[in-house]
């Protein structure tokens, strides 16, 4: 039996000398018969907690940064009036710090045989699955002097998906894609292999595109225009090793890579290409096979990325290369989202690159730290000069590493977290326009 604050107040006002003499609440209640009787009656009239029935409904997924609503229906199957305080417990990361109390605690009154619906609003602060914990109910008597307390478990899971903040760049990239695909009035000079139409020669056009038969039939020189190929295979490889756990600003490198993955997936599927996903460090952490086209691919990728976390292990570059080769058909575009640090690239990636570049087009995208650029521009004090020297050295090392990769035929994209997604999509469109896909 739980004694309430109201019980303490009555004892203090009506039995102060007894309260002082009594060593505990038990002793106080033993010598104060009226109060003891009132508390026992109040406890007896409180609705029991165990017979209560609970069901859940509501959101099962939410994007990070948005709110999810989970409804809890409470059914009072007893013959007594339920007056209760209820706590619907979830993991701490289900709310921003300090807001859990207002979101998870409810006061309710349920007459016998009726039910009430409560809404718990979750605002998760991390990706992954959030599972409901136990429900604690404190049922009060009509006087509020005593209460019954019990627990129930009603399972429910809310999957917190990546936020996809780069979605705002999708309309402009789709417009450029329509230009490349010949669906607008803008004509493309790309080296694709699917013939689109003929047009008049313009100085600067590739002479290999001249259609001599069509030119012979008319007075002007005619050139062929090409439509970028569709149904290409793209394998996005996420390095989930220790370097992906590093934070740039307030964003883990892996999260920035995920955002770039989502924008590229949305763009490539709209272009008619087949997109697959592979997350790897020392073993496969996640995989989406790129065997089908359509909008369901993006949904699969988003759902797969939700629970993906970096592993504090060194990535096995040879195993990554072997797995990527087995997943990607010949002539694919392999997009490797990893670090551009000198040691992991030179010791792990460079030795296995020939296996990839021999059969595929390889694009490496890395998250750069804008703080390094700020350090390189620092001046004015002795500390600032040292910062500038360290920043310049770090930039030189990244440029050197990028040049080594480019000499092996790798296309390199190195951009800050906010610019990585649009920069990667622009490079994909440039490769498509150049007929390299």
């Amino acid at each position: 039996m739980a004694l309430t604050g109201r019980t303490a107040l009555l004892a203090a006002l009506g039995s102060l000398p007894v309260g002082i003499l009594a060593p505990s609440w038990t002793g106080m209640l033993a010598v104060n018969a009226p109060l003891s009787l009132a508390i026992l009656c109040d406890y007896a009239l409180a609705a029991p907690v165990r017979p209560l029935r609970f069901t859940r409904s509501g959101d099962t997924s939410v994007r990070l940064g948005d709110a999810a609503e989970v409804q809890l229906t409470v059914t009072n199957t007893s013959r007594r009036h339920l007056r209760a305080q209820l706590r619907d417990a979830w993991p701490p990361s289900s709310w921003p710090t300090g807001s859990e109390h207002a979101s998870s605690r409810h006061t309710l009154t349920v007459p016998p045989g009726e039910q009430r619906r409560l809404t718990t609003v979750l605002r998760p602060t991390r990706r992954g699955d959030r599972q409901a914990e136990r429900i604690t109910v404190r049922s009060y008597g009509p006087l509020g002097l005593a209460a019954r307390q019990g627990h129930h478990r009603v399972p429910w899971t809310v999957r917190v998906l990546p936020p996809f903040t780069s979605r705002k760049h999708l309309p402009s990239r789709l417009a450029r894609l329509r230009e490349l695909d010949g669906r607008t009035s803008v004509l493309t000079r790309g080296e694709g292999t699917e013939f689109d139409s003929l047009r008049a020669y313009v100085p600067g056009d590739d002479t290999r595109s001249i259609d001599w038969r069509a030119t012979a039939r008319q007075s002007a020189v005619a050139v062929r225009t090409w439509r970028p190929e569709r149904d290409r295979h793209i394998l996005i490889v996420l390095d989930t090793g220790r370097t992906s756990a590093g934070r740039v600003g307030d964003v883990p490198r892996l999260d920035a890579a995920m955002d770039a993955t989502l924008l590229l997936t949305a763009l490539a599927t709209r272009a008619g290409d087949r997109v697959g996903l592979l997350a790897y460090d020392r073993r496969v952490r996640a995989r989406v096979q790129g065997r089908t086209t359509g909008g369901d691919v993006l949904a699969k990728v988003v759902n797969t990325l939700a629970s993906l976390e970096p592993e504090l292990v060194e990535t096995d570059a040879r195993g990554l290369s072997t797995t990527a080769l087995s997943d990607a058909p010949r002539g694919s575009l392999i997009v490797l989202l990893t670090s551009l640090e000198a040691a992991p690239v030179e010791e792990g990636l460079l030795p296995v690159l020939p296996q990839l570049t021999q059969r595929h087009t390889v694009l490496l995208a890395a998250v750069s730290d804008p703080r390094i650029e700020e350090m390189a521009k620092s001046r004015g004090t002795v500390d600032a000069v040292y910062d500038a020297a360290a920043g310049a050295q770090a930039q030189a090392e990244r440029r050197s590493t990028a040049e080594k990769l480019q000499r092996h035929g790798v296309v390199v994209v190195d951009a800050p977290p906010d610019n990585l997604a649009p920069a990667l999509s622009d490079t994909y469109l440039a490769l498509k326009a150049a007929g390299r896909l």
Side-chain angles (χ1 to χ4, degrees):
M1 178 173 63
L3 300 180
T4 67
R6 186 179 300 180
T7 307
L9 179 61
L10 290 176
L13 294 178
S15 318
L16 187 58
V18 176
I20 293 175
L21 295 176
S24 65
W25 279 108
T26 304
M28 181 183 292
L29 297 178
V31 298
N32 194 332
L35 180 59
S36 301
L37 182 61
I39 292 174
L40 292 174
C41 291
D42 200 44
Y43 177 79
L45 293 174
V49 174
R50 182 172 296 180
L52 296 176
R53 295 290 177 264
F54 298 90
T55 56
R56 290 192 185 273
S57 60
D59 296 330
T60 56
S61 64
V62 62
R63 289 197 179 277
L64 184 64
D66 295 340
E69 293 187 352
V70 179
Q71 286 77 37
L72 179 66
T73 302
V74 184
T75 303
N76 182 10
T77 60
S78 70
R79 298 180 180 180
R80 299 172 191 163
H81 207 94
L82 175 66
R83 307 168 186 84
Q85 289 183 350
L86 182 147
R87 180 174 182 260
D88 187 9
W90 290 75
S93 58
S94 301
W95 297 277
T97 303
S99 65
E100 182 268 344
H101 184 277
S103 301
S104 65
R105 298 179 187 268
H106 308 273
T107 300
L108 70 158
T109 301
V110 186
E114 296 188 13
Q115 61 184 25
R116 295 290 184 271
R117 178 175 293 180
L118 308 174
T119 300
T120 300
V121 180
L122 308 179
R123 298 183 182 276
T125 57
R126 293 181 58 187
R127 289 181 293 100
D129 291 338
R130 297 294 169 268
Q131 296 181 349
E133 298 180 359
R134 66 182 184 180
I135 299 168
T136 302
V137 181
R138 179 171 290 182
S139 174
Y140 291 91
L143 299 178
L145 300 178
R148 303 170 185 263
Q149 183 166 307
H151 308 286
H152 290 262
R153 290 192 178 273
V154 185
W156 192 262
T157 301
V158 176
R159 171 155 288 194
V160 186
L161 307 174
F164 197 6
T165 55
S166 63
R167 181 171 40 191
K168 60 187 177 183
H169 300 289
L170 185 58
S172 61
R173 272 62 187 180
L174 288 176
R176 291 177 57 187
L177 178 64
R178 287 192 294 270
E179 294 176 2
L180 293 176
D181 206 24
R183 289 195 290 263
T184 66
S185 59
V186 179
L187 296 176
T188 305
R189 301 181 187 178
E191 295 294 333
T193 61
E194 185 178 349
F195 175 72
D196 183 40
S197 62
L198 294 172
R199 62 173 175 82
Y201 174 83
V202 176
D205 284 340
D206 190 343
T207 55
R208 292 175 297 179
S209 298
I210 297 177
D211 189 319
W212 296 108
R213 291 186 179 181
T215 300
R217 293 194 297 267
Q218 58 188 24
S219 58
V221 178
V223 296
R224 299 186 185 95
T225 61
W226 304 94
R227 179 177 303 174
E229 290 182 289
R230 303 172 67 85
D231 200 25
R232 299 292 89 192
H233 291 265
I234 300 174
L235 178 63
I236 303 175
V237 182
L238 282 172
D239 179 358
T240 56
R242 63 169 184 83
T243 57
S244 67
R247 303 181 75 88
V248 178
D250 197 32
V251 179
R253 280 189 168 93
L254 182 60
D255 285 32
M258 287 182 181
D259 195 44
T261 297
L262 294 180
L263 182 61
L264 180 59
T265 300
L267 182 61
T269 52
R270 293 288 292 272
D273 292 334
R274 301 174 183 242
V275 180
L277 172 70
L278 174 67
Y280 193 95
D281 41 70
R282 288 191 173 275
R283 63 179 179 87
V284 176
R285 301 289 177 178
R287 177 183 270 148
V288 175
Q289 298 288 353
R291 296 177 180 174
T292 59
T293 58
D296 60 332
V297 177
L298 180 60
K300 290 180 181 178
V301 170
V302 170
N303 194 59
T304 301
L305 294 179
S307 56
L308 190 63
E309 295 291 344
E311 301 291 333
L312 299 182
V313 296
E314 196 70 39
T315 300
D316 177 12
R318 190 170 299 277
L320 184 149
S321 173
T322 302
T323 307
L325 287 172
S326 65
D327 282 13
R330 190 176 186 89
S332 299
L333 171 65
I334 295 181
V335 180
L336 179 58
L337 288 144
T338 185
S339 169
L340 201 56
E341 296 177 7
V345 171
E346 294 178 2
E347 297 175 8
L349 187 59
L350 284 180
V352 301
L353 267 182
Q355 304 174 28
L356 297 175
T357 55
Q358 185 178 4
R359 298 177 55 186
H360 307 287
T361 301
V362 180
L363 192 163
L364 185 144
V367 181
S368 64
D369 191 346
R371 173 60 182 156
I372 294 178
E373 184 176 355
E374 295 176 4
M375 291 171 58
K377 296 178 180 178
S378 299
R379 298 293 185 275
T381 65
V382 175
D383 291 340
V385 172
Y386 278 107
D387 288 345
Q393 182 179 2
Q395 288 180 327
E397 290 179 353
R398 290 182 74 86
R399 284 195 296 268
S400 175
T401 304
E403 290 171 358
K404 292 177 182 178
L405 291 169
Q406 290 166 351
R407 286 197 292 270
H408 283 76
V410 178
V411 180
V412 178
V413 176
D414 188 21
D418 294 340
N419 295 332
L420 181 65
L424 179 59
S425 296
D426 289 343
T427 304
Y428 162 76
L429 291 173
L431 290 172
K432 209 167 185 63
R436 296 184 59 182
L437 298 185

